[in-house]
Amino acid sequence: MKTTYIQTPLGITAIEGDENGVTKITTQTSADKPNDNHPIELATACHELKEYFKGSRTHFTFKLNPEGTNFQKKVWKALLEIPFGTTTSYLELSKKLGDVKAIRAVAAANGKNPIWVVIPCHRVIGSDGSLTGYAGGLWRKKWLLEHENPSPQTSLF
């Protein structure tokens, strides 16, 4: 397993994976430093994430290989189907997965998502439109949603 680090507007990001795909993308609170000498297995992920944060990429093409239960993987696959710039609720996601009663399990799987940004768990909000739960902090969730769907600036001049 290889690890590399990039700088993003939301902090230093660690990217882990191997020839089978990216297994984890997380924000760091440690003193790890971003670098430009990325392992070949992670180079595309680094490049595409940098493009995303610059605003020139809306989807990712690199291979994913997250570790989790079958149910978690099912939820994460459903998250990948949420279009860029849109949101859904935990309730709607549960309905899409075929069991409205599984809303808590869906929310728990969402919270265990190991591949930050790329598997877009930040696009899941409360049924009332509120920003609920986010492992990276609600301020990051808010930033990501605004980045993907910026409000048009209103001005009198």
Side-chain angles (χ1 to χ4, degrees), residues 19-122:
E19 62 279 352
N20 296 315
V22 171
T23 58
K24 190 183 283 188
I25 298 176
T26 57
T27 56
Q28 296 297 107
T29 55
S30 66
D32 293 309
K33 302 269 192 236
N35 57 61
D36 291 323
N37 189 17
H38 307 295
I40 190 72
E41 299 89 347
L42 304 176
T44 300
C46 293
H47 177 73
E48 290 186 6
L49 280 163
K50 288 177 183 179
E51 288 180 334
Y52 168 85
F53 283 107
K54 287 180 185 172
S56 61
R57 177 169 291 279
T58 60
H59 71 281
F60 300 93
T61 64
F62 55 90
K63 187 175 179 182
L64 303 178
N65 189 23
E67 295 177 5
T69 67
N70 287 337
F71 180 77
Q72 288 171 332
K73 289 178 181 181
K74 182 179 174 182
V75 172
W76 300 336
K77 184 177 180 188
L79 292 173
L80 288 168
E81 296 172 9
I82 304 169
F84 181 89
T86 65
T87 58
T88 193
S89 69
Y90 293 100
L91 179 60
E92 288 302 315
L93 190 57
S94 297
K95 287 179 184 176
K96 182 177 181 167
L97 291 168
D99 186 358
V100 70
K101 294 178 184 175
I103 190 168
R104 287 196 174 132
V106 167
N110 196 51
K112 296 286 186 183
N113 170 19
I115 303 182
W116 179 65
V117 176
V118 179
I119 298 177
C121 57
H122 60 278

